[in-house]
Amino acid sequence: MKKLLTVTMALIAFLVINAYSVSIKHPGGDKFVRPLKNNSISNQLLTVSYNSALKGFEVTAQSAKKAFLKNVIPNGVIETVEQKTVVSAAFGRGTALLVTTTDGNLFSFALYSRQPFLFVSQTIKNGGSTNIDIPKLNPVSFSVDLGKPADQLKTMGTGGLLAPDKNPGSYVFLTTVDPGSRHGVVAGWITNEKGSGVLFSNIENSLVNIKAQIDYGHFLLPAGKNEAVETLAIGYFDDARLGEEQFADAIAKQQNIKMKARSAVYCTWYSEKNGGAGSEASNIELARFIEEKNLKSFGLGVIQIDDEWQAGGKYNGPRRGFDRVDPKGGYPNGMAASTSAVKAAGLENGIWWMPFARNYQDPEYKDRQHWFAKHTNGKPFETNWGATSLDLTQPEVQTHIAELAKTMKNWGYNYFKMDGLYTGTVTNLVYINDGYKNDSIGNSKPLFNPLKTQIEAYRDGLRILRKAVGEDVFFSGCSASQNMRSFGASMGLVNSMRIGPDFNHDGQTIRTGAIRASRLYFLNGKVWWNDPDPSMLREKGLSTADPGAGGIGSLTRARLLPSFVAITSQFFLSSDWLPDLPEERLEIMKRCMASHHGIARPVDLFDKFLPSIWRATDKKTGTERNVIGLFNWETTAHKIRTTLDWAGLSNEKTYYAFDFWANKPMTTISNAISEELPAESCIMIAVRARTNHPVVVSTSQHVTQGMIDLVKEEWKNGVLSGTSKIIGGDDYELRIAGINDGAAWKLDKAKIIGDAKNVTIEVLPQTEKGWLRVVIKAKENRMINWQVVFRK
């Protein structure tokens, strides 16, 4: 025995000296396989190490050269750890540390080539002889170490920018960040297939501790079965904004998301005249007005009718007879007369409906009560305003929603605004939902197919709709903030998402949409288009109880939200009655509706509740264009300031600058931008690094000042030349700086190259030192090549 003990102790010492982390067993048995020769895995960006003494993992970022994750602990008692090659359909070949626990569950901690995230997933096992119903899982917890005390850090999630111990929990993602450096850790669920991923934060031992959770309500796992659950991604970034953007890229890869082209949308709901669903007559009038004003060329492409077109009884919120038209409503000839006229004007038709809820009280459902999900008490699952949730696993329901979607498409609608989506998850209305709130998920009986979770059934419902109508129909999700269960569960299945509540329903006036669109900016253009609800332009409000129908007031205030949507390239919607809109306010729409294809980032995302500084940049044409948007969302005047390097520009350079809405050059900018802004106002500043020759700093067509319309610019041998996309009937102005730089450049002539029919070019009298304005006029939409010739 003594000899055996000595040999055993020597073996243990040998294992420790050689850094063997743990002996490896087959998950189902005690047979010794081999020692783990390396207790860590690495890729180009991260190293994951297992600490056998602490029964947990550490993760080191190569850029930071220190562990940013500590105490990464899977849920359960670790029995074995094994290194293994893994392959992902989305991310390719990688290496993982596979962990089995004493209860038979399996965890994977995986790295893939050039991916900045550690991917954590779990496979759960029901080793018993009876089925188990799992309401939630907590797969892993970890501590974030950014080299600063936790009370100096912030967390950014769906609830906004908060102290780590004040955050109620965030759906899908949670960023822990040092605001002073932007260094941070981004954690998020790249899948929400069966469950709803949530992340919670607190402070433990001076570190931010994160607990991952998946809410199911009902997840039935049969006896003897294994099943993989959701995947969590965690990564360190020197700039956490870039980390959030790469997290969105990872979701897009995992979900195979291909962004669908969008245009600006007119929504009838808030209109001063013809609100609600509008009418056949008003839609025809509106379509003709849009055609007459050439607003499609400025970006407006869809007229979407809203609630109150449909039939059915009035019980709990909207009527829900979506298979037929209200005989007393504004569409006495059915839907085809309106849609045909809109289509004839060159526009698409959109329609509002609620695909996953009906009124169980409607007579037509008297013998279809089995279509509805049920509360635990057996009654139909009904929520305030949302009405009764359909059981999306019921074959008859699946046929019903598919046929209804086909009917609407056959009416002529290619844009679906799908409201109350959360009803498909069989959860309660929680309005307004940002940070984690109890929605009683699971306070219902299992669905018709008990092996389907509520989230899984919801995603199946969206897939059924897509299959029914094809890829050419645009799915506009509405609204995540009614209940955030529809947030992650909709990713990959809708083209846009209302990321906030109805306009002004949270008492934030025009800030409502901007608040959520800012904190979720990184999803826009990668996972879906963020929809912040309509940008109101009307001056005066309505005598109505609807808080979203109020007027905007001054032109300065009216420019604020449209400019925000334009620079951030989010989803532009209008809901003012356009034929009565004054020309000066229609002008704001024209300059903001189109969407640029550059990169837009909030400069002060981690500094304040609602960012006030944005930078949009675009290098696609070979010429770098930058626009800095300064936004004062407050009701009093404020000075807004940023250094150039913090905004992503260079402190070593001097920049020409042009104020779009003031229509005037600014003094050159060096080191910092600092402006005093009146209450609820904005400044849109095009900036261009100073050179020794003339350059185009700004154009007049759009607030992004060249990103959309100026497709080419070149300086060669004293000639400034370019190609611009001109809108017919819209005077197009080039704002050129650098006339006095490098040499005393003197204008020789300006001319059109190629076909000049119905096109004129004119140099305006020079009234601004160092600047030149050139105006091009064309009768039709066209691409125009131009030249401005200088001599010294």
Side-chain angles (χ1 to χ4, degrees), residues 354-366:
M354 297 180 70
F356 300 147
R358 302 290 179 269
N359 289 315
Y360 79 94
Q361 305 95 328
D362 264 335
E364 64 188 286
Y365 294 106
K366 179 181 178 182

Side-chain angles (χ1 to χ4, degrees), residues 115-273:
Q115 277 294 319
F117 295 103
L118 165 66
F119 295 89
V120 182
S121 59
Q122 179 182 5
T123 298
I124 57 173
K125 178 180 180 180
N126 181 1
S129 58
T130 59
N131 298 345
I132 55 175
D133 190 354
I134 303 169
K136 69 178 182 179
L137 288 174
N138 296 105
V140 68
S141 64
F142 53 89
S143 297
V144 174
D145 187 355
L146 293 176
K148 286 194 173 182
D151 59 7
Q152 295 182 22
L153 305 180
K154 295 288 187 182
T155 53
M156 171 65 84
T158 53
L161 188 68
L162 298 163
D165 55 350
K166 303 292 189 232
N167 197 316
S170 177
Y171 300 88
V172 179
F173 81 104
L174 187 63
T175 299
T176 306
V177 64
D178 169 20
S181 65
R182 292 196 186 118
H183 298 170
V185 171
V186 178
W189 299 97
I190 63 167
T191 64
N192 285 265
E193 296 292 337
K194 287 179 173 291
S196 175
V198 192
L199 292 158
F200 298 94
S201 64
N202 60 16
I203 296 176
E204 295 181 7
N205 301 320
S206 298
L207 296 177
V208 177
N209 187 260
I210 307 292
K211 182 178 76 170
Q213 182 165 301
I214 311 171
D215 290 339
Y216 293 104
H218 296 286
F219 177 14
L220 190 67
L221 186 62
K225 295 291 185 180
N226 300 341
E227 189 151 353
V229 297
E230 313 307 329
T231 299
L232 179 70
I234 316 168
Y236 169 85
F237 301 89
D238 290 332
D239 185 338
R241 298 176 305 166
L242 306 187
E244 291 181 343
E245 292 170 24
Q246 289 181 70
F247 170 61
D249 289 335
I251 294 174
K253 272 182 173 288
Q254 179 68 36
Q255 303 286 348
N256 194 28
I257 294 172
K258 294 178 175 60
M259 293 299 297
K260 189 173 179 62
R262 43 68 195 263
S263 63
V265 175
Y266 181 86
C267 169
T268 60
W269 180 248
Y270 298 108
S271 180
E272 312 95 302
K273 291 181 180 178

Side-chain angles (χ1 to χ4, degrees), residues 566 590-594 660 699-705 708-709:
K590 289 179 180 179
R591 307 307 160 198
C592 295
M593 280 193 295
F660 183 84
T699 66
S700 61
Q701 190 178 112
H702 190 268
V703 294
T704 53
Q705 303 178 69
I708 293 173
D709 49 274

Side-chain angles (χ1 to χ4, degrees), residues 346-390:
L347 305 169
E348 295 291 343
N349 289 280
I351 193 167
W352 172 98
W353 67 307
M354 297 180 70
F356 300 147
R358 302 290 179 269
N359 289 315
Y360 79 94
Q361 305 95 328
D362 264 335
E364 64 188 286
Y365 294 106
K366 179 181 178 182
D367 298 323
R368 300 176 183 173
Q369 295 295 296
H370 59 289
W371 280 23
F372 299 106
K374 300 294 191 297
H375 276 290
T376 51
N377 61 12
K379 294 182 179 180
F381 193 94
E382 186 179 23
T383 64
N384 183 38
W385 188 85
T388 323
S389 294
L390 291 169

